[in-house]
Structure formats: C-alpha cells, structure tokens
Amino acid sequence: LDYARIFQFENPRHTQQRVVRQTDDAPAKAGMHVRVILRQVPRAAAAQFSPTRPFVVFGLLQYEHQMSVMHFTVTRNDEYTAPVRSKDPLVLHCGFRRYSVRPLFSQHTRGGPGTNNVHKFERFLQHGRVTVATVFAPIQFGASPISLYLPEPADDSPLPTLVGTGTSLEINPARILAKRIVLTGAPYKIHKRGAVVRYMFFNPEDIAWFKPVQLHTKYGRTGHIAESLG
C-alpha cells in the first residue's frame, strides 16, 4: 500500500525544468548573499549553538515534500573493504537531507523506451564499478552529490565510516530490477564476435525483455542479446 501511494511523474525531466523555472521569480536566487534574522528564538537554542555545527536554512521546490523512488549512482570507497550487501542499513546524505535507507543495488546500464527499463540486480556493492542504488526517499530535483555511511562509527572512531559516494540519477518508480537467472540453449552457429543459440526462448516478447540485461556464459564470455531470428 505504501508503494502504491508514491509520487510518479509522466515526464520527470520536463517536470524538473518547469519547477526550476519557477525559482526565477524567487527573492533569493542561487549564488546570492542574504542575511537571515531570527526572531523569538528560545534561549536554550541560542545557548546550545556551536560554530562547528551551524544551523542549516533550506527551502523546498514544488513536489519535494512528496515520497517517490529515487536512484543514485554510487562508487564504492576503496578504503572500506567489508562487504556491502543490498538492503544493508546505511545513512544517505543528499544535499541538506540525511536519512536511513536500505538501498537495492543494480547495474548502471541503459534503459528506457524499447528496452523495458530492465536492469540486473546486484547482491553486493562492488569495488571499481559504478552501481545504481535505489531507495524509497523524498523527491529531490537536480543532480546532487550523495554519500553513504555506516549507521554507527566503526572501530570506536568518532568519525562516520564512508561507504561510497555518487550523484542523484533520476526519479523513476518504473525501473525494473531483475535478479540473476540461468538461461540454457543449444549453440547453432558460433562466430568471432557473436553466436546463434536455439531453444533459449520461444517467443519474441521474452527476447525483448532480456535484451538490456548483460549475459555471462559459464566460461566468462559477456554480451547482450542482439535480435530474434525466429
């Protein structure tokens, strides 16, 4: 029921451009220096203020108070060597926001109209590879830098443990994460850069579904399905 109530845009890119254009009439624009005067602040808040932990003032664009499915590109921190699994609890910093998430990881492959928007599910966050992290989070427009941390500092360190960094990618609840399965077939013709395999599928719709997913053979060959011959 919660997933059915998420916010979804018919054209996220067009919506983002329209929302950003609305900020042209804002009294305070990006890059402008402003002075903020706070009135009727509780005495306790003023007494607890520290220059090392300043107050953060922010504003929300239209729709940014709604929840949706956000995707982020993530590159793993080389200094952190422990395994990071999908659905592990992490802390996500994105702009002025910070919240607890359990991201799902998938391959950063092309998707969209004609490719069924299917991407291979990743069980772990791999080193040296750009991975897409998917979370249920508030909407945030634009490409914002993000960072992932462990919920608790490791080895009694006062500093949080950095797991990975990246950039916000898109707002897309229709992105499909496909888990790994084994496909079998009979090789009919084998060429230098391709092969014809029979009896792997029995209708063109299944072939179109698996086209965007990268395939791995038993002996380490990689590639994609090019076309249907039947």
Side-chain angles (χ1 to χ4, degrees):
L1 294 177
D2 291 337
Y3 200 86
R5 287 194 290 265
I6 60 176
F7 218 72
Q8 184 171 1
F9 301 103
E10 183 176 355
N11 191 333
R13 182 174 299 180
H14 180 269
T15 302
Q16 175 177 320
Q17 293 175 352
R18 178 178 58 82
V19 171
V20 172
R21 281 198 302 267
Q22 293 176 357
T23 62
D24 294 341
D25 299 331
K29 298 179 175 56
M32 181 184 297
H33 290 269
V34 297
R35 176 179 296 176
V36 180
I37 300 175
L38 302 180
R39 300 184 184 276
Q40 299 180 351
V41 179
R43 188 180 299 273
Q48 296 175 359
F49 174 75
S50 173
T52 60
R53 297 177 63 87
F55 294 115
V56 178
V57 181
F58 60 88
L60 295 179
L61 298 176
Q62 188 181 10
Y63 308 119
E64 285 193 336
H65 64 287
Q66 301 284 354
M67 300 291 289
S68 188
V69 180
M70 300 289 296
H71 307 282
F72 308 91
T73 57
V74 178
T75 302
R76 180 162 174 171
N77 180 22
D78 293 334
E79 298 179 358
Y80 184 70
T81 58
V84 181
R85 299 177 177 85
S86 283
K87 299 184 181 180
D88 277 357
L90 297 171
V91 176
L92 173 67
H93 291 251
C94 181
F96 57 86
R97 284 170 164 154
R98 178 179 62 184
Y99 37 81
S100 298
V101 295
R102 291 178 176 266
L104 296 174
F105 301 124
S106 60
Q107 288 184 350
H108 186 30
T109 52
R110 296 183 61 185
T115 60
N116 292 312
N117 204 18
V118 182
H119 307 267
K120 184 176 178 296
F121 173 80
E122 294 281 358
R123 289 180 171 84
F124 294 90
L125 181 61
Q126 304 290 342
H127 282 284
R129 183 189 306 173
V130 178
T131 306
V132 175
T134 299
V135 299
F136 180 60
I139 292 173
Q140 185 157 329
F141 292 112
S144 303
I146 65 107
S147 54
L148 290 171
Y149 295 90
L150 293 181
E152 300 293 338
D155 301 329
D156 299 329
S157 173
L159 300 177
T161 302
L162 179 64
V163 175
T165 58
T167 309
S168 58
L169 182 62
E170 61 179 349
I171 308 166
N172 185 10
R175 181 184 175 98
I176 298 173
L177 308 186
K179 291 190 175 182
R180 179 187 178 190
I181 63 172
V182 177
L183 300 173
T184 60
Y188 178 64
K189 293 181 181 179
I190 300 177
H191 307 288
K192 185 176 181 180
R193 300 183 62 85
V196 178
V197 181
R198 286 180 169 178
Y199 312 121
M200 182 179 289
F201 300 98
F202 295 94
N203 59 74
E205 289 78 11
D206 290 344
I207 296 176
W209 178 270
F210 284 96
K211 268 187 177 182
V213 180
Q214 189 178 33
L215 305 181
H216 301 262
T217 67
K218 181 179 178 180
Y219 296 102
R221 301 282 186 175
T222 60
H224 288 80
I225 297 175
E227 60 179 338
S228 169
L229 301 181

